[in-house]
Amino acid sequence: MTQDDESTGSRERILAAAAAMFAEDVTVRLSVRAVAARAGVSTGSLRFHFPTQRALQDALLTRIYAQVFPDSPIHDRSLPARDRLVNCLRQVLAPAGVGEQAREAWTKAYQTYIASDPTEDVRAAYLAMEQGGWRSVEYWLTVLADEGALPEGDHARRVKFLLTVLNGLSIERALPAEDSILRSETETLYMAVDCVLNP
């Protein structure tokens, strides 16, 4: 085994350990010592691959998003830009489920992040997830801007708008509804995407 192979193996073990810890408890603080111990590597090895705790969190979130959304529809140029962006946004909503599943997810989110004053670790875990979502939406908009589907530049306002729409739709999924959620959700997603692509 070469030194490069060994280095890659250490990095993968570290990310696998961090992912396992995160899966067990989303509020976990990914401390250098705890992750290194779980991965079976030295703290120096962890710091070599991830110089800061933030670098480790960012790499972990990138890994999680790559697994959750392995084939991002944003690259499917057989569809118009608006359809691709709507499909990407649907992927974000999909894990929330509908009805009882959505209620359970929102109950857990409420209990973890809202019901009591969040600890620093809980706050950090939430902000890390929020940043991961932000980066995904920003990436999709950057891809579309590179294609000329919307102006290049800072997409912060567009990202915030789309994330706010997604939050609202995910709450709607947990609430009782008379109409088809799929139909009203699709109309809302297209309206939001049209506002972003055609300001």
Side-chain angles (χ1 to χ4, degrees):
M1 178 183 284
T2 68
Q3 193 171 7
D4 284 345
D5 291 339
E6 198 172 303
S7 179
T8 300
S10 294
R11 186 177 196 284
E12 289 303 312
R13 284 198 314 274
I14 293 164
L15 284 173
M21 291 169 69
F22 186 76
E24 291 165 5
D25 179 5
V26 296
T27 66
V28 72
R29 186 171 185 275
L30 298 174
S31 73
V32 171
R33 287 177 198 234
V35 175
R38 179 85 175 246
V41 301
S42 69
T43 55
S45 177
L46 189 144
R47 287 284 190 214
F48 171 78
H49 295 291
F50 306 102
T52 64
Q53 191 173 13
R54 176 59 182 266
L56 175 61
Q57 288 176 349
D58 287 350
L60 176 61
L61 284 174
T62 299
R63 172 72 54 94
I64 290 169
Y65 274 90
Q67 288 174 351
V68 173
F69 310 126
D71 298 314
S72 177
I74 205 67
H75 298 292
D76 179 6
R77 288 190 169 203
S78 68
L79 296 174
R82 74 189 292 258
D83 293 336
R84 288 157 44 203
L85 186 52
V86 164
N87 289 340
C88 289
L89 297 172
R90 277 191 179 128
Q91 281 188 329
V92 175
L93 288 169
V98 178
E100 186 59 33
Q101 184 182 1
R103 280 188 291 281
E104 286 175 15
W106 270 106
T107 298
K108 185 175 181 178
Y110 173 79
Q111 291 168 343
T112 303
Y113 304 113
I114 301 170
S116 59
D117 193 24
T119 65
E120 195 54 43
D121 289 345
V122 169
R123 189 183 320 277
Y126 176 77
L127 292 175
M129 287 188 301
E130 185 180 49
Q131 282 188 324
W134 182 283
R135 279 194 292 274
S136 291
V137 175
E138 188 173 42
Y139 171 71
W140 298 330
L141 296 181
T142 300
V143 169
L144 295 179
D146 289 347
E147 295 174 10
L150 75 156
E152 291 192 30
D154 184 11
H155 300 296
R157 288 178 48 219
R158 294 179 183 102
V159 172
K160 179 66 175 167
F161 171 68
L162 291 175
L163 289 175
T164 301
V165 170
L166 289 175
N167 281 335
L169 289 174
S170 68
I171 292 171
E172 272 192 359
R173 284 178 165 220
L175 298 171
E178 287 185 15
D179 284 344
S180 162
I181 288 178
L182 180 60
R183 189 179 77 235
S184 64
E185 184 174 279
T186 298
E187 289 172 358
T188 301
L189 286 173
Y190 272 106
M191 188 178 298
V193 164
D194 287 344
C195 287
V196 166
L197 296 180
N198 308 303

